[in-house]
Amino acid sequence: MTISLHRSAAVLFQGDSITDVGRLVERDCPLGNGYARMAAERVRSARPDSGITFVNRGVSGDGVSDLRARWREDTLDLAPDVVSVLIGVNDTWRRYDSGAVTSVRAYENDYRTILTQVRDELGAQLILIEPFLVPVRDEQWAWREDLDPRIQAVRRLAEEFGAALLAADGLLNQAARAAGGAECIAGDGIHPTPLGHTLLAEAWTALAGL
């Protein structure tokens, strides 16, 4: 499944810190400094006269319930033509660093709710990016029991909503092996390095046929 970026399309990136990457604190960088900005630059380079616009509304620290709470203001009211979503690693991380548990069922239900609103109110094309983990510490391997079912949930939702799927978890873990270690792709196992963001941007633009 791919998407079609028509002339003057509006593209929205949504998610947590992996999408945010400084866009909230650096006023001169509204797309942040990660894969969202890199993907936008690749599209603009390939189609300089297309008039395609990009907006980033990623918020560091967000889980899926936070995304649902701000979905009206930060997504639906913007009326984008394409909505790209990456959410889920914080729902896993909070279980292990603070004991705050979000069940996979609650995660999938909240995720389905926001996608249903996009479908019913906007009819926008969807790109779902799997949450991912590239373990750099031994204890992070145990996180997979919580994260892997969320990845499966995103895959189910992509099928259910006819969304393009960016299978980021396998992509980045394989890249870590090729690059010489997890730290080359995600320094703390969660937040991508510049190389990790570049790989995400390349995969994102491939979904747009570029």
Side-chain angles (χ1 to χ4, degrees), residues 81-101:
D81 301 293
V82 177
V83 179
S84 175
V85 185
L86 168 55
I87 198 76
V89 73
N90 286 322
D91 293 285
T92 288
W93 195 1
R94 295 292 85 84
R95 171 181 174 180
Y96 296 96
D97 74 350
S98 62
V101 176

Side-chain angles (χ1 to χ4, degrees), residues 5-108:
L5 291 178
H6 60 74
R7 289 188 62 85
S8 302
V11 179
L12 172 66
F13 293 97
Q14 268 290 9
D16 52 32
S17 60
I18 301 168
T19 300
D20 178 343
V21 200
R23 69 105 185 165
L24 283 170
V25 297
E26 298 183 30
R27 294 182 181 274
D28 60 344
C29 196
L31 288 177
N33 291 294
Y35 78 91
R37 176 182 60 78
M38 294 176 182
E41 289 174 350
R42 289 172 67 89
V43 172
R44 288 167 176 160
S45 177
R47 299 179 60 185
D49 299 321
S50 65
I52 297 169
T53 58
F54 297 87
V55 176
N56 185 345
R57 287 292 185 272
V59 175
S60 181
D62 267 11
V64 71
S65 63
D66 303 299
L67 195 58
R68 180 177 178 177
R70 61 182 179 82
W71 198 245
R72 170 65 56 187
E73 178 181 3
D74 279 351
T75 299
L76 303 177
D77 288 351
L78 301 177
D81 301 293
V82 177
V83 179
S84 175
V85 185
L86 168 55
I87 198 76
V89 73
N90 286 322
D91 293 285
T92 288
W93 195 1
R94 295 292 85 84
R95 171 181 174 180
Y96 296 96
D97 74 350
S98 62
V101 176
T102 300
S103 71
V104 174
R105 176 175 292 183
Y107 170 80
E108 185 168 354

Side-chain angles (χ1 to χ4, degrees), residues 175-188:
R177 293 176 62 85
E183 294 89 347
C184 299
I185 300 299
D188 60 357

Side-chain angles (χ1 to χ4, degrees), residues 71 75-76 83 114-124 126:
W71 198 245
T75 299
L76 303 177
V83 179
I114 63 177
L115 297 182
T116 298
Q117 291 173 335
V118 169
R119 180 189 64 197
D120 293 351
E121 298 189 34
L122 303 179
L126 292 164

